[in-house]
């Protein structure tokens, strides 16, 4: 028995139909504009011609016979694009157009139009990345690729960067085992081995977010907004062979300098050049570093620049400008409506007055010869120059001893004589006196008093002075203040008879202490007083006598404050002193929260996970602590800082009174508070992506600012 023959499919024929014989069918299902515009499609056809035929059907007359025209139910956008080319005179009206002619009409025109659009599969993003990469390898730059496919050059660069990710990761992306957002994060680095290493590290972890991938890939780099990178500059760094990692998909603030060692080498080289230029200005020494510890100027005297004296003409001009400014300011304040002309004039006069006030300042060359400069980098990457510091070993010393006969002049360069000698003299304690070895032969002159008698007499005077000083409180305060100021501002100046000594710890071993608001306020207050005090210690007493009471008290408080030490040191048992610090704090109604302290991510990162959770329980209750107890250490520290914000929580060493509470008791109290906290809305919710975060087993300290690992110092 013969088998039924399978009927073969016959394809619709392809024909070239003149464009003026075609017409757009109203049965095309596409009604809404989407994707590439008709104009862009016309440009693309003009460049590469048609790469897909039109699907057409003959138009029949009333008797079912074909006419000479055809309708286009599938390919309408191509038909319209060809029409644009004809309007632009770039295509002839009767140009033959490749078409697939459906004469059998076994399906409807609407069905053909729908099938053409639904059966077309979008290109996988990875295929697009690789195609752009192929075009780039063929010699096309991003601008040209973008122009040909109507995307921005930045988009092309993004696609090329994604195509450069490790092939191992791209294969995982092709299999939908890695998300596109993760591939974007991996594209920051060009190091395929490092990319694969990071993926291996996070693939079995709950934390696979793009931000975490970026952090791991850049942990050994230096951010472009770091002061070292700003100081050197991207151009100089790249000229030296450095590579800057850029994130083409998110704001990266300039990217990351990949080679931290090269960057620091460039920093120190430029600091050396800048320091040598400053040294050439006449300073004795220049000390340059990226940063200095708090208190690095302790024990040094400060000298200040003096502004140039104003001439009589400049003083007259300044007074005239000030009078005109004051008059306009009064008129403007009384005016009902704003006057732009007056505002502009006030700005002009203010700028001229500022220019006079900010006239150049200069140092005395003699002072510069014994003083030095500290050069460092400010937080914004600008060179910070702190000049005018005199080290103790460079302080002028008065030499005591005999002066050779015939030597002209005194120790300070001046010539002194009492009129009875010929200039021969000795220098004792910095003051010239007559040489006792005269040649007049006298041996029966007045001799000095015996040392013991001098001691007895001055002991009597000391007790009498003590008694008198005890009866004058104001002078006693001035005397104590005089002794303090000598030790604070005039190091090694033995100009007081009071045996009062004071100590002031510098705490230079504490990182970041100089950047706190308290350190800056103390430094500003200290410098302000230093500028006002006389240059020489000999003039200090008269200066203090001339101060008003309020200023004298302010200076006294400043000096006394520098002696306060409430630091807990394991090797130094100072229990009574620390108790007094608490008493003093209560007397001042002092609180570290009011002073501006807050638990930062850096601080919390130095605690164990148990301590972090205890802090959150104490401040926000057990419910808030449970939100983060499953997280890894670094993420826990960041979220704990957010939860503790505004809670007024303080660690035990910063509390005025520390209660000895066991951990169990603390948990119980926190548990009692949790219900109230929940009712009050204090138990904050975390972002959804953190809710099931990570490995709770890790109890390692967070690596922030190099506290635990050196490589993160560069990243921060």
């Amino acid at each position: 028995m013969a088998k039924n023959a399978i009927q073969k499919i016959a394809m619709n024929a392809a024909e070239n139909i003149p464009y003026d014989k075609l017409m757009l069918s109203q049965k095309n299902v596409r009604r809404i504009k989407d994707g590439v515009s008709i104009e862009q499609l016309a440009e693309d056809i003009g460049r590469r011609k048609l790469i897909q035929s039109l699907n057409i059907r003959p138009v029949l007359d009333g008797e079912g016979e074909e006419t000479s025209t055809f309708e286009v139910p599938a390919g309408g956008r191509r038909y319209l694009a060809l029409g644009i080319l004809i309007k632009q005179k770039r295509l002839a009206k009767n140009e033959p157009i490749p078409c697939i002619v459906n004469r059998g009409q076994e399906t409807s025109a609407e069905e053909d139009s729908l099938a053409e659009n639904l059966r077309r599969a979008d290109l996988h993003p990875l295929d697009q990345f690789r195609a752009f990469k192929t075009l780039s390898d063929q010699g096309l730059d991003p601008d040209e690729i973008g122009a040909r496919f109507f995307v921005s050059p930045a988009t092309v660069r993004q696609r090329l960067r994604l195509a450069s990710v490790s092939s191992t990761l791209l294969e995982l992306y092709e299999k939908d085992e890695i998300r596109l957002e993760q591939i974007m994060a991996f594209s920051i680095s060009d190091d395929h081995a490092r990319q694969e290493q990071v993926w291996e590290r996070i693939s079995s972890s709950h934390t696979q977010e793009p931000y975490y991938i970026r952090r791991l890939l850049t942990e050994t780099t230096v951010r472009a907004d770091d002061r070292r990178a700003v100081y050197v500059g991207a151009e100089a760094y790249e000229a030296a062979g450095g590579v800057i990692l850029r994130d083409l998909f998110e704001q990266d603030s300039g990217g990351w300098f990949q080679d931290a060692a090269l960057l620091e080498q460039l920093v120190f080289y430029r600091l050396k050049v800048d320091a040598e230029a400053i040294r050439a200005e006449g300073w004795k020494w220049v000390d340059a570093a990226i940063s200095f510890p708090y208190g690095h100027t302790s024990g040094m005297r400060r000298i200040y620049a003096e502004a140039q004296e104003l001439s009589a003409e400049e003083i007259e001009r300044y007074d005239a400008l000030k009078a005109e400014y004051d008059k306009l300011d009064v008129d403007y304040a009384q005016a009902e409506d704003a006057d732009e002309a007056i505002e502009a004039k006030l700005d002009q006069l203010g700028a001229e007055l500022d220019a006079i006030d900010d006239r150049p300042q200069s140092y005395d060359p003699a002072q510069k010869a014994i003083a030095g400069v500290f050069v460092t980098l400010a937080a914004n990457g600008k060179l910070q120059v702190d000049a005018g510091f005199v080290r103790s070993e460079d302080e002028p010393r008065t030499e005591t001893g005999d002066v050779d006969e015939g030597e002209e002049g005194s120790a300070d360069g001046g010539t002194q004589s009492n009129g009875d000698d010929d200039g021969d003299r000795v220098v004792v304690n910095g003051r010239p006196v007559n040489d006792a070895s005269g040649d007049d032969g006298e041996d029966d002159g007045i001799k000095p008093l015996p040392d013991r008698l001098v001691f007895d007499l001055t002991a009597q005077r000391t007790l009498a002075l003590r008694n008198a000083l005890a009866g004058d409180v104001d002078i006693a305060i001035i005397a104590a203040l005089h002794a303090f100021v000598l030790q604070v501002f005039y190091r090694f100046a033995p100009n007081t008879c009071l045996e009062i000594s004071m100590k002031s710890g510098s705490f230079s071993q504490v990182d970041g202490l100089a950047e706190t608001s308290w350190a800056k306020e103390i430094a500003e207050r200290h410098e302000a007083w230093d500028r006002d005090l006389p240059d020489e210690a000999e003039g200090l007493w008269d200066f203090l006598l001339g101060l008003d009471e309020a200023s004298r008290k302010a200076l006294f408080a400043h000096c006394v404050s520098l002696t306060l030490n409430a630091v807990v040191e394991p090797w130094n048992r100072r229990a009574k002193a620390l108790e007094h610090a608490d008493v003093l704090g209560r007397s001042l109604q002092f609180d570290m929260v009011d002073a501006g302290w807050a638990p930062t991510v850096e601080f919390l990162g130095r605690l164990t996970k148990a301590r972090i959770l205890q802090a959150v329980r104490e401040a926000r209750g057990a419910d808030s602590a449970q939100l983060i107890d499953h997280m890894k250490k670094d993420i826990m520290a960041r979220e704990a800082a957010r939860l503790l914000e505004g809670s007024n929580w303080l660690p035990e060493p910063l509390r005025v009174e520390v209660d000895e509470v066991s951990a169990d008791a603390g948990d119980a109290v926190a548990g009692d508070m949790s219900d109230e906290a929940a009712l009050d809305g204090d138990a904050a919710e975390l972002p959804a992506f953190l809710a099931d975060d990570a490995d709770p087993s890790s109890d390692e300290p967070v690596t922030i600012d190099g506290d635990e690992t050196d490589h993160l110092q560069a990243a921060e």
Side-chain angles (χ1 to χ4, degrees):
M1 186 175 188
K3 294 183 179 179
N4 293 330
I6 299 176
Q7 187 174 0
K8 299 295 189 287
I9 298 173
M11 295 288 103
N12 292 325
E15 299 180 24
N16 289 333
I17 308 296
Y19 182 84
D20 55 4
K21 299 296 184 181
L22 302 175
M23 58 183 294
L24 185 64
S25 173
Q26 299 303 312
K27 298 177 181 180
N28 193 309
V29 299
R30 185 187 291 274
R31 294 286 188 269
I32 301 173
K33 293 182 178 181
D34 187 24
V36 179
S37 69
I38 302 297
E39 292 76 14
Q40 291 175 340
L41 182 57
E43 286 298 319
D44 190 71
I45 294 174
R47 176 182 294 113
R48 72 185 79 259
K49 314 302 184 293
L50 275 177
I51 57 176
Q52 185 177 357
S53 302
L54 303 182
N55 186 287
I56 65 174
R57 293 173 178 235
V59 176
L60 306 179
D61 59 17
E63 298 178 357
E65 297 296 328
E66 291 187 11
T67 64
S68 60
T69 60
F70 298 82
E71 64 176 354
V72 184
R77 297 178 75 250
R78 277 162 279 153
Y79 171 82
L80 295 174
L82 291 169
I84 291 176
L85 294 175
I86 291 174
K87 289 180 180 180
Q88 295 174 350
K89 309 296 185 182
R90 299 168 63 187
L91 186 70
K93 291 182 179 180
N94 59 354
E95 175 69 22
I97 306 300
C99 301
I100 301 296
V101 184
N102 184 354
R103 287 189 168 86
Q105 301 191 13
E106 297 174 356
T107 56
S108 67
E110 291 86 352
E111 183 179 346
D112 287 355
S113 176
L114 180 63
E116 182 190 49
N117 288 283
L118 288 183
R119 293 292 179 265
R120 179 174 52 198
D122 290 335
L123 193 66
H124 191 281
L126 184 56
D127 291 330
Q128 184 188 131
F129 307 159
R130 288 168 172 165
F132 278 4
K133 178 69 165 55
T134 300
L135 295 178
S136 177
D137 294 341
Q138 291 174 357
L140 298 181
D141 60 31
D143 291 340
E144 191 169 359
I145 295 175
R148 292 189 179 188
F149 294 94
F150 308 103
V151 295
S152 68
T155 300
V156 176
R157 293 186 182 92
Q158 289 177 342
R159 303 299 185 263
L160 293 176
R161 177 68 66 84
L162 292 172
S164 68
V165 173
S166 165
S167 59
T168 301
L169 299 180
L170 291 179
E171 289 174 3
L172 294 175
Y173 172 52
E174 186 176 353
K175 299 175 183 177
D176 291 333
E177 296 181 19
I178 294 182
R179 304 192 310 273
L180 177 59
E181 294 80 5
Q182 293 170 313
I183 292 294
M184 292 177 178
F186 278 114
S187 71
I188 287 180
S189 173
D190 294 328
D191 187 342
H192 289 180
R194 179 60 178 157
Q195 292 173 355
E196 294 168 10
Q197 182 184 32
V198 169
W199 174 249
E200 183 179 358
R201 175 175 173 179
I202 69 171
S203 57
S204 59
S205 169
H206 293 290
T207 307
Q208 298 181 4
E209 298 303 321
Y211 81 89
Y212 188 59
I213 295 173
R214 290 185 178 92
R215 174 183 168 185
L216 293 178
L217 288 172
T218 59
E219 62 184 356
T220 59
T221 65
V222 179
R223 290 193 62 88
D225 54 6
D226 183 277
R227 58 183 170 182
R228 294 167 291 175
V230 174
Y231 176 61
V232 170
E235 185 176 349
Y237 170 75
E238 290 181 313
V243 176
I244 298 179
L245 305 182
R246 298 302 305 266
D247 190 343
L248 299 184
F249 302 93
E250 289 191 2
Q251 177 57 247
D252 61 5
S253 299
W256 296 264
F257 286 42
Q258 187 175 31
D259 194 337
L262 173 62
L263 177 61
E264 294 223 339
Q265 180 182 351
L266 295 174
V267 169
F268 289 128
Y269 174 78
R270 185 173 175 186
L271 275 175
K272 178 183 177 183
V273 173
D274 289 338
E276 289 175 347
I278 295 171
R279 172 71 176 80
E281 297 174 2
W283 297 102
K284 181 173 184 179
W285 54 266
V286 175
D287 193 352
I290 294 176
S291 63
F292 290 103
Y294 176 70
H296 65 283
T297 61
S298 178
M300 300 185 192
R301 178 168 63 89
R302 185 78 181 270
I303 62 174
Y304 297 95
E306 297 291 338
Q308 296 178 358
E309 293 294 333
L310 293 176
S311 65
E313 293 79 6
E314 290 174 325
I315 294 175
E316 183 179 354
R317 180 170 177 271
Y318 183 89
D319 293 340
L321 290 172
K322 188 69 167 65
E324 184 179 0
Y325 182 92
D326 292 341
K327 182 179 182 304
L328 277 176
D329 191 35
V330 171
D331 294 342
Y332 184 74
Q334 295 175 351
E336 295 182 358
D337 299 324
D339 190 324
E340 293 184 1
I342 295 180
E343 290 179 355
K345 185 62 175 178
L346 284 172
D347 291 340
Q348 176 191 342
L349 294 173
E352 293 182 31
L353 290 171
D354 289 341
I356 297 176
D357 289 332
D358 299 335
R359 60 192 181 278
Q361 296 183 328
S362 60
Y363 290 88
D364 183 347
Q367 290 184 320
K368 289 175 69 173
I370 64 170
V373 179
F374 288 103
V375 178
T376 185
L377 300 183
N380 61 0
K382 302 297 183 182
L383 197 66
Q384 180 174 313
V385 179
D386 296 323
F389 292 93
V390 182
R391 293 169 172 166
S392 58
E393 60 267 27
D394 296 329
E395 291 284 3
R397 304 292 185 183
T398 54
E399 298 181 359
T400 302
D402 294 336
V403 179
D404 294 337
E405 292 187 8
E407 180 177 345
E408 296 291 337
S410 63
D412 61 0
T415 302
Q416 301 184 14
S417 174
N418 62 3
D420 295 330
D421 60 10
D422 58 359
D424 294 336
R425 52 184 166 62
V426 295
V427 176
V428 178
N429 199 27
R431 300 182 63 181
V433 297
N434 292 337
D435 189 352
S437 59
D439 56 0
D440 56 7
E442 281 192 11
D443 57 2
D444 57 348
I446 299 176
K447 298 179 179 179
L449 292 174
D451 291 341
R452 180 54 189 265
L453 178 57
V454 172
F455 180 88
D456 292 346
L457 292 174
T458 52
Q460 296 177 38
R461 180 173 182 266
T462 296
L463 289 182
L465 275 174
R466 285 182 179 179
N467 189 48
L469 185 60
D472 194 326
V473 177
D474 292 336
I475 297 300
I477 292 176
I478 293 176
L481 177 58
H482 179 260
F484 287 163
V485 173
L486 284 172
Q487 295 177 66
V488 172
F489 294 93
Y490 302 86
R491 297 288 176 157
F492 309 105
N495 296 65
T496 179
C497 62
L498 271 60
E499 295 182 338
I500 297 177
S501 62
M502 55 182 291
K503 295 187 296 183
S504 179
S506 64
F507 315 123
S508 59
Q509 68 273 26
V510 181
D511 291 336
L513 190 59
E515 303 301 324
T516 63
S517 59
W518 319 298
K520 291 178 180 178
E521 287 185 20
I522 292 173
E524 290 172 1
R525 183 168 58 246
H526 191 89
E527 181 173 332
W529 277 115
D530 199 8
R531 287 181 178 274
D532 291 341
L533 291 171
D535 293 336
E536 302 298 333
E538 287 76 7
L540 177 60
W541 182 264
D542 291 336
F543 173 84
L544 296 179
L545 283 176
L547 283 179
D548 59 85
E549 183 178 2
S551 299
R552 195 179 297 144
K553 288 181 177 179
L555 180 56
F556 186 85
H558 173 67
C559 293
V560 172
S561 69
L562 297 180
T563 69
L564 192 150
N565 186 352
V567 175
V568 177
E569 299 168 315
W571 61 86
N572 190 357
R573 304 300 179 184
R574 304 167 52 243
K576 294 298 182 182
L578 297 176
E579 289 178 7
H580 177 250
D582 287 341
V583 173
L584 181 59
R586 287 193 296 271
S587 300
L588 292 171
Q589 296 183 340
F590 174 79
D591 183 82
M592 281 296 288
V593 173
D594 296 335
W597 190 91
T600 62
V601 177
E602 290 78 7
F603 161 75
L604 293 168
R606 298 174 67 179
L607 305 180
T608 62
K609 291 176 66 174
R611 281 282 188 180
I612 297 175
L613 294 174
Q614 181 184 8
V616 175
R617 278 195 295 269
E618 290 177 355
R620 298 299 189 190
D623 290 347
S624 294
Q626 289 176 357
L627 291 173
I628 63 173
D629 60 3
H630 63 290
M631 296 178 178
K632 282 189 174 181
K633 179 67 175 301
D634 51 356
I635 302 176
M636 178 186 289
R638 186 179 68 247
E639 291 305 316
R642 186 179 66 84
L643 290 170
L644 293 175
E645 184 176 354
S647 67
N648 295 344
W649 178 85
L650 291 172
E652 292 182 357
L654 297 186
R655 302 171 188 172
V656 175
E657 295 181 354
V658 180
D659 296 328
E660 296 293 333
V661 182
S662 67
D664 294 339
D667 292 345
V669 173
D672 294 338
M673 293 173 58
S674 63
D675 294 336
E676 296 181 10
L679 292 175
D680 293 340
D682 287 338
E685 293 294 334
L686 293 179
F689 74 88
L690 290 175
D692 57 351
D693 194 80
D695 179 9
S697 63
S698 172
D699 198 26
E700 296 297 323
V702 177
T703 51
I704 294 176
D705 284 339
D707 284 346
E708 295 298 331
T709 57
D710 293 337
H711 61 265
L712 276 190
Q713 182 177 1
E716 292 298 315

